[in-house]
Amino acid sequence: MSTNEYFPGVGKIKYEGPESDNPFAFQYYQEDKVVAGKTMKDHFRFAVAYWHSFCNVNNDPFGVGTRTFPWDKSSDPLDNAKYRLEAAFEFFSKLGNPYYCFHDVDLAPEGGSVAETEKNLKELVSLAKQYQRDSGMKLLWGTANLFGHPRYMNGAATNPDFDVVCHAGAQVKNALEATVELDGENYVFWGGREGYMHLFNTMMRRELDHMGTFLRAARDYGRKIGFKGTFLIEPKPMEPTKQQYDFDAATVINFLREQDLMDDFKLNIEANHVTLASHSFAHDLMIAAEAGLLGSIDANRGDVQNGWDTDYFPTDLYDAIEAMIILLDNGGIAPGGLNFDAKLRRNSTDLEDLFHAHIGGMDTFARGLMIADDILNNSNFRELREGRYTSFDSGDGKKFEDGKLSLEDLRDLAAQKGEPEMRSGKQELLENLFNRYIK
Ligand code: XUL
Ligand code: CO
């Protein structure tokens, strides 16, 4: 089907091993290599983010875009959307990622009316379906962009104006239909402007309930049209709003429980969002995993110097090791995956930079997986952690854990046992252990 080539000079990216100095080869990611009982391909389910990779020309508040896309060659936005799709599938086939993700407006331009927008999206979805069929590529998740259009300046589902909520409903309905048509395995809600800019011109309780009502309506429609996948909420504490309602994993879990959404929704944890909330990436992965709600991951990283969403490609090996320890303990991430919600720097202007960025991200996680697996199987990591809790495994500690001791019982046991022994947390030993397994 492809007639144009957008990334000439770059062939299929292959695994060449750690000794290779070919910048267009994987050093660690080997899709068929089995680690901890599964191929790397199945562990990660890597996805390329359509918006950053094929739509974002790297403009910032200080200047216009620096990248020019060869697929932006027509004055008609609908034609360009088709060229962009062609370029995206060429990129996927060369990189070898099994999944991709999109917002409705990444795929097709908005029209002058709801009906025209629907027509544009349907046309692009049917083309994408053919590309998927021809290439074997799959859709990890679809979503609706409910933050870019000026009408959403005061929020989408939480907008104080009902007319705006209706438009948000129309967009989500269409994006859900697109996701189902393309066999998308998940559907994401990132509440970009679902929050407030000032607490005292906002009825927060009312807005939160509107968001719950909106999400239940979306869930019901999704199920009605045959969506069997997971709905995901992607937490972020701020930006673009001063305060976003989906602040972090713990906040979202409370919201899901309160709004009776626990059976259908899980969390999409994005590394840079978590650090913006002043937690570590691993912290929110752990919160979500331990609640049984770790649905998917937006893999990127922030910058310790900067307090905004820099969306760097993930190249931090420590982060990857920690994430993979949690994922291995979680039994994997499917039907979620690792989506590179990451963008090239403003001064990375060569088209081929997009390959280096993704190769680096995939290699970082592949290496992280092998190290995490080695730590879990061959070190005393588990004893270091679980060994600290053995006093709850039997006797009175076990009775406490089972809820069978009263506060009076605890007092009497304290009096009888006397001052507790000091037990080291062994933090430095644990930190050294991670470093020793980086080989
Ligand atoms: C924004 C962000 C979004 C979501 C999808 O910070 O992460 O790209 O992942 O809307
Ligand atoms: Co994201």
Side-chain angles (χ1 to χ4, degrees):
M1 205 159 115
S2 190
T3 49
N4 301 297
E5 193 178 18
Y6 299 92
F7 301 94
V10 184
K12 171 95 185 133
I13 309 297
K14 299 196 186 87
Y15 170 77
E16 291 186 5
E19 306 310 322
S20 170
D21 59 7
N22 176 2
F24 290 99
F26 294 116
Q27 290 188 308
Y28 298 94
Y29 180 69
Q30 213 178 344
E31 61 174 22
D32 294 329
K33 185 183 165 85
V34 175
V35 181
K38 255 192 324 215
T39 62
M40 285 193 171
K41 187 175 173 187
D42 289 343
H43 271 286
F44 302 117
R45 301 160 57 83
F46 282 127
V48 169
Y50 209 88
W51 51 103
H52 285 312
S53 298
F54 311 110
C55 307
N56 172 7
V57 289
N58 278 353
N59 48 324
D60 72 11
F62 304 93
V64 296
T66 53
R67 302 170 76 202
T68 41
F69 289 144
W71 46 90
D72 277 343
K73 51 185 166 187
S74 163
S75 53
D76 177 355
L78 195 60
D79 281 344
N80 279 343
K82 294 174 192 167
Y83 295 133
R84 190 186 310 137
L85 190 70
E86 188 178 41
F89 274 80
E90 180 193 330
F91 181 78
F92 304 152
S93 71
K94 289 182 169 173
L95 182 67
N97 56 299
Y99 288 92
Y100 72 115
C101 301
F102 63 73
H103 299 85
D104 48 357
V105 300
D106 307 333
L107 208 59
E110 285 197 66
S113 64
V114 170
E116 200 188 324
T117 301
E118 285 170 343
K119 189 168 162 285
N120 289 351
L121 187 60
K122 284 212 166 79
E123 188 171 344
L124 264 295
V125 164
S126 94
L127 266 180
K129 197 170 172 155
Q130 288 177 46
Y131 278 109
Q132 283 187 204
R133 202 179 298 136
D134 292 348
S135 62
M137 277 289 302
K138 294 182 188 163
L139 179 65
L140 185 65
W141 47 261
T143 187
N145 178 327
L146 303 179
F147 42 90
H149 193 285
R151 76 169 79 92
Y152 297 122
M153 66 180 184
N154 290 311
T158 64
N159 198 294
D161 180 351
F162 175 62
D163 291 358
V164 179
V165 178
C166 296
H167 272 273
Q171 258 188 269
V172 170
K173 176 177 180 287
N174 294 326
L176 275 166
E177 287 169 10
T179 304
V180 170
E181 182 66 16
L182 295 173
D183 288 323
E185 300 187 24
N186 305 269
Y187 184 88
V188 163
F189 290 91
W190 171 60
R193 294 190 197 269
E194 312 292 25
Y196 62 75
M197 298 305 286
H198 201 293
L199 183 57
F200 284 89
N201 67 4
T202 303
M203 294 179 79
M204 185 160 59
R205 179 68 267 164
R206 208 166 172 185
E207 291 197 358
L208 280 163
D209 285 339
H210 290 173
M211 189 154 82
T213 305
F214 186 91
L215 293 178
R216 287 190 297 276
R219 182 227 18 224
D220 292 346
Y221 183 69
R223 296 304 181 217
K224 187 168 122 186
I225 62 169
F227 177 63
K228 304 226 162 34
T230 314
F231 291 95
L232 299 165
I233 292 190
E234 182 177 323
K236 186 176 181 181
M238 66 191 89
E239 198 200 10
T241 57
K242 160 191 156 65
Q243 171 81 33
Q244 195 176 303
Y245 292 138
D246 302 329
F247 193 90
D248 61 2
T251 311
V252 173
I253 291 169
N254 178 57
F255 172 81
L256 292 177
R257 189 173 286 124
E258 176 192 82
Q259 296 290 337
D260 198 20
L261 291 165
M262 298 281 276
D263 292 341
D264 299 273
F265 280 74
K266 288 188 174 177
L267 274 62
N268 182 35
I269 301 294
E270 175 163 329
N272 202 169
H273 294 180
V274 181
T275 51
L276 267 182
S278 297
H279 308 304
S280 66
F281 179 30
H283 172 90
D284 261 17
L285 289 176
M286 192 85 87
I287 292 271
E290 292 194 339
L293 294 174
L294 180 55
S296 202
I297 290 177
D298 269 8
N300 62 10
R301 80 182 156 85
D303 184 321
V304 280
Q305 275 173 270
N306 294 336
W308 70 85
D309 198 14
T310 58
D311 286 342
Y312 287 108
F313 273 82
T315 48
D316 186 311
L317 188 55
Y318 273 83
D319 267 1
I321 297 169
E322 291 185 356
M324 293 320 296
I325 286 179
I326 295 168
L327 248 63
L328 287 171
D329 267 352
N330 192 56
I333 191 82
L338 265 69
N339 166 47
F340 291 112
D341 192 354
K343 62 181 173 224
L344 295 177
R345 294 308 90 193
R346 185 170 159 77
N347 55 357
S348 298
T349 48
D350 292 341
L351 272 179
E352 64 184 40
D353 291 333
L354 201 57
F355 283 96
H356 300 312
H358 285 89
I359 289 168
M362 289 160 88
D363 267 347
T364 302
F365 274 94
R367 203 171 163 197
L369 167 67
M370 291 188 286
I371 295 166
D373 182 51
D374 199 11
I375 290 173
L376 289 173
N377 285 318
N378 302 320
S379 78
N380 61 347
F381 170 80
R382 289 197 196 279
E383 288 102 274
L384 275 174
R385 181 159 68 166
E386 284 147 32
R388 300 179 70 209
Y389 298 87
T390 51
S391 59
F392 293 95
D393 290 347
S394 59
D396 289 323
K398 177 85 176 87
K399 277 193 207 158
F400 169 81
E401 228 177 47
D402 295 342
K404 291 186 180 140
L405 293 186
S406 68
L407 203 61
E408 296 97 308
D409 294 331
L410 294 182
R411 183 260 159 215
D412 293 345
L413 284 166
Q416 176 197 320
K417 285 168 180 281
E419 195 51 35
E421 241 178 72
M422 300 294 259
R423 295 215 172 97
S424 171
K426 293 284 177 212
Q427 182 168 329
E428 294 75 12
L429 188 68
L430 182 80
E431 284 168 358
N432 294 351
L433 188 149
F434 273 58
N435 279 351
R436 285 185 186 185
Y437 277 76
I438 298 176
K439 287 167 193 149

